[in-house]
Amino acid sequence: MLQLQNSLVELLRTKPFSQITYKEITEGVDIDRSTVYRYYNHKNQVLQAAVDVRLTAFSSQVDLTFGRMESIDGYMGRLVDAWIGLWLESGGLLAAASGLGAEPGPQRQWWRERIEPWIEAVREAIEVARFVEELPKDGRPALPLAEMTVGLCLSTFNTELTVQHTEEHRTMVRDLLLDAILRTMGRK
């Protein structure tokens, strides 16, 4: 099944997910066609499996916990840097999954479940940062702020990190994104 997932990743380097056919994914893979259909009968299932593998690996490498000795600025910078690394490695795949998540139906729920740990971690960080007075206690609920933060990151990554840019441009995008996130949270 990893061969199919890798086939999809390679195809995403040259064309958008919407233009990739299931047949293209299965061509050139050393697996009997009946075995392929036993596990995946649609290209969305291959995409979801490939994303799950990458997000599971990512989750094991990144601590989403807001550290006691960490500032909200440092925490968000650390998360943004980790997410950028993930997007640079698997951007086409994640952009396709994010696009699926924008469509109504089970794909939206599937994508929401994948990004929920990020949203929850950012929500907790906002609440802790408010408690220690790093962020203003302005009465805005933390959950919508966390959802906006993760949404802003996903949107930025999908438009900026799935295409080739110079390192200088990436650094500028990262700094602007972090500034926008912190301002959204109430940092001056």
Side-chain angles (χ1 to χ4, degrees), residues 5-117:
Q5 294 170 22
N6 289 337
S7 173
L8 175 60
V9 169
E10 287 305 312
L11 288 166
L12 285 167
R13 293 184 201 287
T14 59
K15 59 197 222 180
F17 183 69
S18 61
Q19 294 177 6
I20 296 172
T21 66
Y22 187 66
K23 183 178 179 190
E24 288 175 307
I25 296 170
T26 61
E27 286 176 350
V29 176
D30 293 332
I31 302 172
D32 181 67
R33 189 125 4 229
S34 63
T35 303
V36 169
Y37 287 110
R38 187 176 322 138
Y39 291 98
Y40 306 120
N41 57 17
H42 194 275
K43 71 178 186 175
N44 290 359
Q45 292 174 324
V46 178
L47 173 68
Q48 290 172 336
V51 167
D52 284 344
V53 166
R54 278 147 184 89
L55 290 182
T56 298
F58 177 73
S59 295
S60 70
Q61 297 169 356
V62 176
D63 182 7
L64 293 177
T65 308
F66 183 44
R68 294 188 191 279
M69 303 304 292
E70 206 169 18
S71 69
I72 192 69
D73 299 43
Y75 173 75
M76 289 311 305
R78 181 171 61 83
L79 286 188
V80 166
D81 289 342
W83 291 338
I84 286 172
L86 176 65
W87 244 262
L88 290 175
E89 176 187 298
S90 302
L93 190 67
L94 296 166
S98 183
L100 271 186
E103 297 176 14
Q107 291 91 353
R108 179 178 287 166
Q109 181 62 32
W110 169 82
W111 181 243
R112 179 67 184 200
E113 289 168 2
R114 297 320 175 268
I115 63 171
E116 191 64 39

